[in-house]
Amino acid sequence: MSADQRPRVFVARRLFPEVVDRLRPHFEVDYREADDPMTAEALMARLQGCAGALIAGTEPINAPLLDACPQLRAVCSMAVGFNNIDVPACTAHGVLATNAPGVLTETTADFGFALMMATARRITESEHWLRAGRWLHWSVDLFAGSDVHGATLGIIGMGRIGQAIARRGALGFGMKVAYHNRSRLPAEEEAALGARYLGLHELLREVDHLVIVVPYSQQTHHLIGAAELDLMKPTATLTNIARGGVVDDAALAQALKARRIAAAGLDVFEGEPQLNPALLEVPNIVLTPHIASASLPTRRAMADLAATNLIAALTGGAPPTALNPEVLERRG
Ligand code: DGY
């Protein structure tokens, strides 16, 4: 195929050059080698005439954009979370949407576990204090936190990543694992993980360390707010690696300030990269900038999977992780 017959695709963010190079033999590539997010208007303008887009979890793909970009046939995200993509609208417009599950499971579970441990054992709080030159003597309860081993680990959202965290807790740290999920796992999977299913309120009352991994949707918006935090033990910790908005950050900041729970670890925030300023004022919190999947090999694998999906979607192949495969079936 000559260069000018190739479909045009837009790569919305700076990626690994070797991944972008994989696209070039198939497509005319408009590569936006930048890290700042695009406005909806800028994205719409840039997608004019494009058959495909390679995006991250930040670019909004919705009905107005799809109406304005009639040539679009595939939108491939390198994130597993796809709350930025209106999948039913894509299906209605005949646009194939893909995400990137699987390749980031273990890396993200490592991070979730690390953030939970850092929160329980007050790692960053004590480091800030040490760096401030305040370490003058040893004392018996100096930054005494709570144990992770043997404690009850509560997981909200028992998909791939939730299950990988459960395995770390049960097998590595002898934790008692309980979980809440939209649908209960089959009995044999629960037995293999040593995980007990509990209703949300029961789980919140019982848990020592809560890890939230549930996808964001209208149904999970502020799933954890003031009333839910009130159910937790004052010694409990909360770790959120899911999406901003699943936890009510203002309510969480208040609960931490009042020591209604012991501590929190947050990798995701409502309105990120802006943070609720109240979160910055409480000491009993560990904050990270949405990096749970950020090991180099994993980020490369995520981008690679998005490229594989895009190539397959626009060259008559089978994209491995389609969110709406019925679009391809309709294309025949
Ligand atoms: C994901 O893949 O959903 C991660 O949160 C990165 O956006």
PDB file of all heavy atoms in Angstrom, residues 163-178:
ATOM      1  N   GLN A 163      -7.676 -10.088  42.827  1.00  0.00           N
ATOM      2  CA  GLN A 163      -7.285 -11.473  43.144  1.00  0.00           C
ATOM      3  C   GLN A 163      -5.770 -11.582  43.338  1.00  0.00           C
ATOM      4  O   GLN A 163      -5.296 -12.345  44.188  1.00  0.00           O
ATOM      5  CB  GLN A 163      -7.742 -12.406  42.033  1.00  0.00           C
ATOM      6  CG  GLN A 163      -9.261 -12.520  41.976  1.00  0.00           C
ATOM      7  CD  GLN A 163      -9.748 -13.501  40.926  1.00  0.00           C
ATOM      8  OE1 GLN A 163      -9.069 -14.472  40.631  1.00  0.00           O
ATOM      9  NE2 GLN A 163     -10.928 -13.250  40.384  1.00  0.00           N
ATOM     10  N   ALA A 164      -5.009 -10.823  42.546  1.00  0.00           N
ATOM     11  CA  ALA A 164      -3.537 -10.870  42.702  1.00  0.00           C
ATOM     12  C   ALA A 164      -3.118 -10.272  44.049  1.00  0.00           C
ATOM     13  O   ALA A 164      -2.148 -10.725  44.663  1.00  0.00           O
ATOM     14  CB  ALA A 164      -2.874 -10.123  41.540  1.00  0.00           C
ATOM     15  N   ILE A 165      -3.858  -9.276  44.520  1.00  0.00           N
ATOM     16  CA  ILE A 165      -3.570  -8.708  45.847  1.00  0.00           C
ATOM     17  C   ILE A 165      -3.960  -9.726  46.929  1.00  0.00           C
ATOM     18  O   ILE A 165      -3.240  -9.921  47.909  1.00  0.00           O
ATOM     19  CB  ILE A 165      -4.304  -7.360  46.022  1.00  0.00           C
ATOM     20  CG1 ILE A 165      -3.683  -6.321  45.083  1.00  0.00           C
ATOM     21  CG2 ILE A 165      -4.250  -6.882  47.470  1.00  0.00           C
ATOM     22  CD1 ILE A 165      -4.430  -5.007  44.992  1.00  0.00           C
ATOM     23  N   ALA A 166      -5.089 -10.384  46.722  1.00  0.00           N
ATOM     24  CA  ALA A 166      -5.530 -11.403  47.686  1.00  0.00           C
ATOM     25  C   ALA A 166      -4.473 -12.498  47.835  1.00  0.00           C
ATOM     26  O   ALA A 166      -4.158 -12.935  48.947  1.00  0.00           O
ATOM     27  CB  ALA A 166      -6.857 -12.010  47.227  1.00  0.00           C
ATOM     28  N   ARG A 167      -3.906 -12.929  46.701  1.00  0.00           N
ATOM     29  CA  ARG A 167      -2.875 -13.987  46.764  1.00  0.00           C
ATOM     30  C   ARG A 167      -1.667 -13.516  47.569  1.00  0.00           C
ATOM     31  O   ARG A 167      -1.123 -14.263  48.385  1.00  0.00           O
ATOM     32  CB  ARG A 167      -2.416 -14.380  45.354  1.00  0.00           C
ATOM     33  CG  ARG A 167      -3.375 -15.318  44.646  1.00  0.00           C
ATOM     34  CD  ARG A 167      -2.735 -15.954  43.423  1.00  0.00           C
ATOM     35  NE  ARG A 167      -2.421 -14.976  42.401  1.00  0.00           N
ATOM     36  CZ  ARG A 167      -3.295 -14.523  41.508  1.00  0.00           C
ATOM     37  NH1 ARG A 167      -4.546 -14.971  41.512  1.00  0.00           N
ATOM     38  NH2 ARG A 167      -2.941 -13.626  40.605  1.00  0.00           N
ATOM     39  N   ARG A 168      -1.244 -12.281  47.319  1.00  0.00           N
ATOM     40  CA  ARG A 168      -0.097 -11.756  48.084  1.00  0.00           C
ATOM     41  C   ARG A 168      -0.403 -11.765  49.579  1.00  0.00           C
ATOM     42  O   ARG A 168       0.428 -12.155  50.404  1.00  0.00           O
ATOM     43  CB  ARG A 168       0.232 -10.324  47.628  1.00  0.00           C
ATOM     44  CG  ARG A 168       1.012 -10.313  46.313  1.00  0.00           C
ATOM     45  CD  ARG A 168       0.888  -8.968  45.607  1.00  0.00           C
ATOM     46  NE  ARG A 168       1.714  -8.946  44.405  1.00  0.00           N
ATOM     47  CZ  ARG A 168       1.400  -9.573  43.266  1.00  0.00           C
ATOM     48  NH1 ARG A 168       0.285 -10.268  43.190  1.00  0.00           N
ATOM     49  NH2 ARG A 168       2.200  -9.507  42.230  1.00  0.00           N
ATOM     50  N   GLY A 169      -1.617 -11.328  49.937  1.00  0.00           N
ATOM     51  CA  GLY A 169      -1.975 -11.238  51.355  1.00  0.00           C
ATOM     52  C   GLY A 169      -2.060 -12.607  52.003  1.00  0.00           C
ATOM     53  O   GLY A 169      -1.496 -12.839  53.079  1.00  0.00           O
ATOM     54  N   ALA A 170      -2.754 -13.540  51.316  1.00  0.00           N
ATOM     55  CA  ALA A 170      -2.997 -14.850  51.926  1.00  0.00           C
ATOM     56  C   ALA A 170      -1.725 -15.691  51.963  1.00  0.00           C
ATOM     57  O   ALA A 170      -1.360 -16.260  52.999  1.00  0.00           O
ATOM     58  CB  ALA A 170      -4.095 -15.576  51.154  1.00  0.00           C
ATOM     59  N   LEU A 171      -1.034 -15.754  50.810  1.00  0.00           N
ATOM     60  CA  LEU A 171       0.109 -16.679  50.720  1.00  0.00           C
ATOM     61  C   LEU A 171       1.375 -16.073  51.321  1.00  0.00           C
ATOM     62  O   LEU A 171       2.170 -16.775  51.939  1.00  0.00           O
ATOM     63  CB  LEU A 171       0.369 -17.059  49.256  1.00  0.00           C
ATOM     64  CG  LEU A 171      -0.805 -17.704  48.523  1.00  0.00           C
ATOM     65  CD1 LEU A 171      -0.475 -17.970  47.070  1.00  0.00           C
ATOM     66  CD2 LEU A 171      -1.227 -18.997  49.227  1.00  0.00           C
ATOM     67  N   GLY A 172       1.567 -14.785  51.126  1.00  0.00           N
ATOM     68  CA  GLY A 172       2.819 -14.179  51.571  1.00  0.00           C
ATOM     69  C   GLY A 172       2.784 -13.681  52.998  1.00  0.00           C
ATOM     70  O   GLY A 172       3.811 -13.654  53.677  1.00  0.00           O
ATOM     71  N   PHE A 173       1.617 -13.250  53.458  1.00  0.00           N
ATOM     72  CA  PHE A 173       1.553 -12.559  54.744  1.00  0.00           C
ATOM     73  C   PHE A 173       0.555 -13.187  55.720  1.00  0.00           C
ATOM     74  O   PHE A 173       0.268 -12.610  56.760  1.00  0.00           O
ATOM     75  CB  PHE A 173       1.217 -11.077  54.521  1.00  0.00           C
ATOM     76  CG  PHE A 173       2.358 -10.319  53.895  1.00  0.00           C
ATOM     77  CD1 PHE A 173       2.629 -10.409  52.537  1.00  0.00           C
ATOM     78  CD2 PHE A 173       3.192  -9.533  54.680  1.00  0.00           C
ATOM     79  CE1 PHE A 173       3.688  -9.731  51.959  1.00  0.00           C
ATOM     80  CE2 PHE A 173       4.255  -8.844  54.117  1.00  0.00           C
ATOM     81  CZ  PHE A 173       4.512  -8.949  52.752  1.00  0.00           C
ATOM     82  N   GLY A 174       0.027 -14.342  55.366  1.00  0.00           N
ATOM     83  CA  GLY A 174      -0.893 -15.038  56.283  1.00  0.00           C
ATOM     84  C   GLY A 174      -2.100 -14.192  56.653  1.00  0.00           C
ATOM     85  O   GLY A 174      -2.628 -14.295  57.765  1.00  0.00           O
ATOM     86  N   MET A 175      -2.549 -13.344  55.725  1.00  0.00           N
ATOM     87  CA  MET A 175      -3.700 -12.489  56.047  1.00  0.00           C
ATOM     88  C   MET A 175      -5.011 -13.252  55.861  1.00  0.00           C
ATOM     89  O   MET A 175      -5.084 -14.192  55.057  1.00  0.00           O
ATOM     90  CB  MET A 175      -3.707 -11.241  55.138  1.00  0.00           C
ATOM     91  CG  MET A 175      -2.485 -10.377  55.319  1.00  0.00           C
ATOM     92  SD  MET A 175      -2.513  -8.896  54.271  1.00  0.00           S
ATOM     93  CE  MET A 175      -3.411  -7.754  55.326  1.00  0.00           C
ATOM     94  N   LYS A 176      -6.016 -12.842  56.590  1.00  0.00           N
ATOM     95  CA  LYS A 176      -7.367 -13.373  56.367  1.00  0.00           C
ATOM     96  C   LYS A 176      -7.997 -12.483  55.307  1.00  0.00           C
ATOM     97  O   LYS A 176      -8.064 -11.272  55.481  1.00  0.00           O
ATOM     98  CB  LYS A 176      -8.173 -13.314  57.673  1.00  0.00           C
ATOM     99  CG  LYS A 176      -7.547 -14.144  58.786  1.00  0.00           C
ATOM    100  CD  LYS A 176      -8.293 -14.009  60.085  1.00  0.00           C
ATOM    101  CE  LYS A 176      -7.765 -12.902  60.987  1.00  0.00           C
ATOM    102  NZ  LYS A 176      -6.391 -12.993  61.452  1.00  0.00           N
ATOM    103  N   VAL A 177      -8.403 -13.062  54.201  1.00  0.00           N
ATOM    104  CA  VAL A 177      -8.870 -12.243  53.075  1.00  0.00           C
ATOM    105  C   VAL A 177     -10.395 -12.272  52.988  1.00  0.00           C
ATOM    106  O   VAL A 177     -11.012 -13.341  52.965  1.00  0.00           O
ATOM    107  CB  VAL A 177      -8.261 -12.737  51.739  1.00  0.00           C
ATOM    108  CG1 VAL A 177      -8.779 -11.903  50.577  1.00  0.00           C
ATOM    109  CG2 VAL A 177      -6.742 -12.682  51.800  1.00  0.00           C
ATOM    110  N   ALA A 178     -10.972 -11.075  52.949  1.00  0.00           N
ATOM    111  CA  ALA A 178     -12.415 -10.940  52.703  1.00  0.00           C
ATOM    112  C   ALA A 178     -12.578 -10.002  51.519  1.00  0.00           C
ATOM    113  O   ALA A 178     -11.695  -9.186  51.248  1.00  0.00           O
ATOM    114  CB  ALA A 178     -13.110 -10.383  53.934  1.00  0.00           C
TER     115      ALA A 178
END
